Amino acid sequence: MGRTVKRISLTTWIFIGMAAGVALGIVAPGFARQLSPVSRVFLQLIRSIIAPLIFGTLVVGIAGGGDMKRMGRIGGKAILYFEIVTTLALLLGLAAVNLVRPGAGISIHSSAAEAAIPQTQASFSSALEHIFPSSIIDAMARNDALQIVVFAFLFGAACAAIGAKAEPVVKFCASLAEVMFRYTRYVMYLAPLGVGAALAVVIGNKGVDVLFGLGKLIATMYVSSILCIVFVLGPALILFHIPVRGFYRAVREPFLIGFSTASSEAALPLALENMEQFGVPKHIVGFVIPTGYSFNLVGSALYLSLAAVFVAQAAGVNLSFGAQLLMMLTLMLTSKGVAGVPRAALVILAGTLSTFHLPMEGAAVLLGVDALLDMARTAINVLGNCLASAVVARWEGYKVG
């Protein structure tokens, strides 16, 4: 009898792609920089999945449930959970940056090009207006997950209210969701190539020196990320009795894709599919994960508290504990307003530095290593949103795992 050859898993192929990308960036940086189109093609294919997948899964989940009171309860639980974990992440970052003081010894002078930093002031009214789409076609074209969620939520509620007359539409959405899951599987065959190219481009452009230039801050961010997983997200697994081994199997591929591409969008389709396979009901997955991409940015919250105080330390500004808490409150509120903006964390940071009269040059300094920091915060964002869907499912009394 011939021996059965064990197939290499997608996770292993992604690891191989990541290692090859780093090696290529070091050995042949010139060639590595030319691989940018490969990573962009992969990310564009991923982005093509997001709008139809969110729309299909959420409409079926809501119309199938037909209970708006229940969806309102799920939304309330999700928002409460989001606020608790993002606040804990902000406080963890605050504790880490004050303990390690990575900005001490790095002098920032007011001469760097502020024009390189995207700036925005997100008021409460503009953030509120942004939630509601003026055109679902426009929202889908921009892959604005929050606006798609709001439209799909109302559309699904309308389907549920109409009942039998809406059945063809609901069946179409169910078929659309299934087709998009299969489409995702095809695109994922390119994942090792896409993530390898993305890493090769980063290392090829920035060089290995990017790993050492602001090494203390990078190390603080990565150690804090591990502590965040253990002490912020870990207790939720225990408290809600979520099987650790099964959850790890469900999140490892979305986590790796988020980390290697520094794109939450890239991980979204696989996160939706894997958490549904993990046992989280369709209507909870379709609502909690996309909404979490605007309200549950655990990794971004951790990074922002680190980065803001790092700039203050580097500028020689001694912030009182009260000022730091006020800064954390500002970060927590403004981070809800600019979700979906490219490099959103950098945009929020720039606005906060301006508000607290800290040098904008600090954000310019962080631009040099933002790719590496972005990888960590994106991976934690993905992990946090996957966990949020499982937590809400368990809170609602469903068995997962």
Side-chain angles (χ1 to χ4, degrees):
M1 282 180 69
R3 291 175 61 190
T4 304
V5 179
K6 190 178 178 182
R7 291 181 62 189
I8 298 174
S9 69
L10 177 62
T11 306
T12 306
W13 277 117
I14 290 171
F15 270 124
I16 292 168
M18 288 167 69
V22 171
L24 198 58
I26 294 169
V27 175
F31 176 72
R33 285 193 289 271
Q34 304 302 313
L35 293 177
S36 182
V38 177
S39 63
R40 282 204 301 269
V41 163
F42 173 66
L43 291 175
Q44 283 173 204
L45 282 171
I46 288 289
R47 290 188 184 109
S48 72
I49 300 168
I50 293 166
L53 184 58
I54 291 176
F55 179 76
T57 54
L58 196 50
V59 168
V60 172
I62 293 168
D67 187 350
M68 289 304 294
K69 187 177 176 182
R70 181 180 65 170
M71 288 308 296
R73 188 178 67 241
I74 288 168
K77 288 176 178 178
I79 295 295
L80 177 62
Y81 174 78
F82 293 163
E83 291 309 316
I84 291 170
V85 292
T86 49
T87 301
L88 290 174
L90 281 167
L91 292 173
L92 174 63
L94 199 61
V97 75
N98 279 288
L99 183 68
V100 180
R101 296 188 60 80
I106 298 176
S107 181
I108 293 177
H109 301 289
S110 298
S111 59
E114 291 190 15
I117 308 301
Q119 298 181 45
T120 187
Q121 292 296 328
S123 67
F124 176 76
S125 59
S126 66
L128 188 64
E129 285 174 29
H130 175 75
I131 292 172
F132 300 96
S134 59
S135 163
I136 187 57
I137 305 299
D138 176 58
M140 286 182 165
R142 290 182 291 105
N143 270 332
D144 191 317
L146 189 57
Q147 290 190 355
I148 296 167
V149 165
V150 169
F151 181 87
F153 187 91
L154 294 171
F155 190 89
C159 289
I162 290 172
K165 287 183 180 178
E167 202 171 305
V169 176
V170 177
K171 281 185 176 177
F172 168 76
C173 289
S175 298
L176 176 65
E178 289 301 319
V179 169
M180 293 315 297
F181 279 133
R182 181 54 63 97
Y183 180 100
T184 301
R185 191 180 301 175
Y186 294 156
V187 174
M188 282 304 134
Y189 290 140
L190 297 174
L193 200 60
V195 300
L199 277 177
V201 171
V202 170
I203 301 296
N205 278 324
K206 304 291 182 182
V208 187
D209 294 343
V210 75
L211 302 173
F212 307 107
L214 293 170
K216 201 173 179 183
L217 176 65
I218 295 167
T220 305
M221 177 65 187
Y222 277 80
V223 171
S224 298
S225 297
I226 294 167
L227 293 175
C228 185
I229 292 170
V230 175
F231 294 111
V232 175
L233 303 180
L237 281 168
I238 297 163
L239 187 63
F240 288 91
H241 306 291
I242 297 166
V244 177
R245 188 175 295 177
F247 180 72
Y248 164 76
R249 283 197 296 269
V251 300
R252 62 187 177 187
E253 286 167 2
F255 180 89
L256 281 173
I257 288 170
F259 177 80
S260 53
T261 61
S263 169
S264 294
E265 285 183 342
L268 179 58
L270 209 56
L272 290 168
E273 184 175 13
N274 286 11
M275 292 314 295
E276 195 176 321
Q277 288 175 355
F278 182 59
V280 180
K282 193 188 291 282
H283 66 281
I284 293 179
V285 171
F287 179 79
V288 173
I289 293 182
T291 307
Y293 272 41
S294 289
F295 292 99
N296 187 38
L297 301 169
V298 180
S300 295
L302 178 69
Y303 162 78
L304 286 166
S305 55
L306 279 172
V309 181
F310 165 83
V311 172
Q313 291 171 354
V317 177
N318 190 19
L319 291 173
S320 67
F321 181 67
Q324 290 188 30
L325 284 181
L326 183 60
M327 185 182 282
M328 293 311 101
L329 180 63
T330 305
L331 288 169
M332 189 166 67
L333 294 173
T334 55
S335 64
K336 314 303 183 203
V338 291
V341 176
R343 293 277 190 227
L346 207 60
V347 174
I348 299 159
L349 177 63
T352 305
L353 294 180
S354 176
T355 301
F356 286 85
H357 307 293
L358 292 170
M360 205 67 72
E361 292 78 21
V365 168
L366 289 170
L367 268 175
V369 292
D370 190 62
L372 284 174
L373 298 170
D374 200 15
M375 289 161 70
R377 65 181 180 246
T378 301
I380 301 298
N381 287 341
V382 171
L383 183 64
N385 283 316
C386 289
L387 178 58
S389 69
V391 165
V392 173
R394 290 290 295 130
W395 202 345
E396 282 288 293
Y398 293 98
K399 182 174 168 43
V400 298

